[in-house]
Amino acid sequence: MDRIVERKRASDAAYRKQVAGRPLRSDAKLLSDGDLLAKLRSFGIDLDRSSLEQLCGQALSAEEIAKPLLDQRTFPSKREKLESDWIWICLVTLWQRWFFDQPCFELLDDKMQAGYDLLTSGGAPAACRTWLDAWRDVLHILDKSGMQSIREFDERFRGTQSLFNWIQDLEDALWNAGLEDRQFLTARIALCEEGLRRFATDDELMIENRRRALADSFYELGETGKAEALYHDWLKVDPRWGWGWIGWSDCHRFTRTELRDGGRSEQLLREGLAIADVRDRSDLVERLADLCEEQGRVDEANELRRNAKRSAAAMKTSLSISSAGTVLRQKTNVNFGGEGLSLSELSNVAATLRRTSPSVPAARPKVGRNDPCPCGSGKKFKKCCAH
């Protein structure tokens, strides 16, 4: 909130009048350490460097220190309530001056935002230097707190950016910076390896994307054997990972010229498509069609897209319960449109049906007429499916 008010106050004269008198972190820059301690004493808070260091050693943010101090006090007027913001402002300013080597959420947030500003004004390398420093702060806070997931971190962090979004932006920025300076690709590898180690049970899509970022970085650095081995092992465990096949293929298609191999790229896409229930099949087909177009095989690319469109036929599923009350029967209707579907695509349709069709529950015991209907309507069975 302090950051939002600060930025709006700087650009909006009417807003400056509206928030006149509200203290902000920038107001503390002109105050000495003694002035800040005196401000705290004016609220009945008597701290010195030693006692504040002890509090900072136990907290993850100045806000965590300020909250119980604020909770102990009452502020009769709105003006006095606004003035009480000085408690947090003094604490975070003194933390920054005295214990800058001890990361906290506020100072981490500053570094994250500074990186975004540099990304606009100074480019990816400048932003990455600041963000890698912020990443070290994240690791310090994780170790200090014992937190083991990004979700747990964000629930306590509540920063301008979430760690969930920022860490993905950092991965992207390191890739772009690495195209100019290879050391950033090495840093990206370390980031991905640490992220995979620490957040092994986090969001599945993020884990998959981080794996691709790791392998892509190895490949771009010329460590092709390492990248190949990673994809081979991951896809051996989960051959249905469609974007894993795409990522592996892309290594041979989009990296440095001397490492490009269109034939190998196509081979990997077709291996992925040969997996009957591969995920994100349509993306695999589109990647293969694009590759065919690049090689001048336009007719083949168009045929791939036509077949993919037919495979994505609309499916209608209906469930019915027999009056005998023991079996759920599932009925699936598939419409392939006027052009029909080639026989070669039937296995793909079967895989799609297996993924999208709801599973049929096991046989149920006989339902009494006055029992709740098993269809979930909330009505008695005799008033619902028993008819």
Side-chain angles (χ1 to χ4, degrees):
M1 182 61 71
D2 181 270
R3 192 184 308 282
I4 293 170
V5 173
E6 183 73 67
R7 289 181 174 177
K8 191 170 182 181
R9 188 176 73 167
S11 60
D12 188 331
Y15 186 72
R16 279 197 295 275
K17 291 183 179 180
Q18 181 182 339
V19 298
R22 177 173 187 160
L24 297 172
R25 284 179 65 187
S26 58
D27 298 326
K29 292 180 180 178
L30 301 177
L31 300 181
S32 68
D33 296 353
D35 293 334
L36 295 170
L37 292 173
K39 277 279 189 187
L40 288 172
R41 284 194 297 271
S42 72
F43 292 97
I45 301 169
D46 191 8
L47 289 173
D48 58 18
R49 184 166 184 150
S50 177
S51 57
L52 182 56
E53 182 175 18
Q54 186 175 0
L55 290 172
C56 292
Q58 299 168 350
L60 299 183
S61 68
E63 183 183 12
E64 287 185 7
I65 300 173
K67 189 177 185 306
L69 296 173
L70 284 164
D71 290 344
Q72 296 169 13
R73 289 157 179 80
T74 58
F75 304 98
S77 67
K78 184 177 180 181
R79 169 61 60 184
E80 290 174 302
K81 179 64 176 175
L82 286 176
E83 283 290 319
S84 71
D85 286 351
W86 272 113
I87 296 175
W88 171 74
I89 291 170
C90 291
L91 291 171
V92 73
T93 303
L94 289 170
W95 189 325
Q96 185 173 25
R97 291 180 185 179
W98 290 347
F99 317 118
F100 55 86
D101 59 338
Q102 292 189 40
C104 66
F105 282 150
E106 290 92 350
L107 305 186
L108 170 62
D109 193 63
D110 289 344
K111 292 177 183 180
M112 286 181 173
Q113 292 309 114
Y116 282 108
D117 292 339
L118 287 169
L119 202 58
T120 302
S121 61
C128 286
R129 293 185 185 96
T130 296
W131 275 355
L132 287 172
D133 187 33
W135 173 240
R136 286 187 285 272
D137 287 356
V138 169
L139 297 179
H140 180 100
I141 291 171
L142 287 167
D143 290 338
K144 179 179 179 179
S145 65
M147 291 184 288
Q148 297 181 344
S149 72
I150 290 176
R151 175 176 294 182
E152 188 180 1
F153 188 99
D154 280 335
E155 285 175 353
R156 295 186 66 177
F157 179 39
R158 298 186 296 115
T160 309
Q161 301 290 331
S162 66
L163 178 60
F164 180 88
N165 290 331
W166 174 77
I167 196 172
Q168 295 176 82
D169 291 339
L170 174 55
E171 288 173 10
D172 290 343
L174 286 170
W175 173 261
N176 292 327
L179 299 179
E180 302 176 33
D181 187 338
R182 315 303 275 185
Q183 68 172 321
F184 290 112
L185 290 178
T186 301
R188 191 177 192 235
I189 288 171
L191 170 73
C192 291
E193 289 179 335
E194 187 69 16
L196 288 169
R197 183 181 72 83
R198 285 182 181 264
F199 311 127
T201 60
D202 264 3
D203 181 85
E204 183 178 356
L205 178 59
M206 176 180 276
I207 291 173
E208 291 179 347
N209 288 342
R210 184 164 294 128
R211 285 175 172 175
R212 290 176 56 215
L214 174 62
D216 291 350
S217 300
F218 274 122
Y219 201 92
E220 186 67 21
L221 283 172
E223 297 186 50
T224 57
K226 182 68 173 177
E228 295 275 324
L230 286 171
Y231 274 121
H232 177 271
D233 291 345
W234 291 329
L235 288 164
K236 184 177 181 180
V237 173
D238 182 15
R240 297 174 58 243
W241 179 26
W243 274 94
W245 292 105
I246 291 172
W248 196 357
S249 169
D250 284 353
C251 282
H252 296 273
R253 182 179 173 195
F254 293 120
T255 49
R256 291 176 296 168
T257 304
E258 65 269 24
L259 297 176
R260 291 184 182 178
D261 184 344
R264 176 63 172 155
S265 180
E266 179 175 346
Q267 177 190 354
L268 289 166
L269 291 174
R270 293 193 181 277
E271 284 183 28
L273 287 168
I275 306 298
D277 52 355
V278 69
R279 299 188 296 276
D280 301 303
R281 177 175 294 276
S282 61
D283 295 310
L284 274 161
V285 171
E286 188 60 35
R287 228 17 164 248
L288 180 56
D290 288 344
L291 187 59
C292 289
E293 279 187 340
E294 289 176 6
Q295 297 174 351
R297 295 147 57 192
V298 178
D299 290 342
E300 187 175 349
N302 291 336
E303 181 62 22
L304 282 166
R305 292 189 176 109
R306 279 195 295 270
N307 282 336
K309 188 174 180 180
R310 294 189 196 112
S311 296
M315 290 180 291
K316 297 180 182 179
T317 303
S318 60
L319 292 176
S320 62
I321 301 175
S322 70
S323 57
T326 59
V327 179
L328 285 175
R329 290 196 175 92
Q330 177 178 300
K331 182 179 180 182
T332 303
N333 297 312
V334 182
N335 179 4
F336 298 109
E339 296 184 18
L341 186 73
S342 62
L343 291 175
S344 62
E345 289 296 306
L346 286 179
S347 61
N348 296 337
V349 173
T352 301
L353 288 171
R354 286 195 295 273
R355 291 196 308 273
T356 59
S357 298
S359 58
V360 179
R364 301 170 182 264
K366 186 173 182 179
V367 182
R369 289 180 57 77
N370 290 312
D371 291 338
C373 187
C375 76
S377 66
K379 300 178 182 179
K380 290 185 177 181
F381 183 54
K382 68 182 180 182
K383 295 289 187 180
C384 191
C385 293
H387 282 272

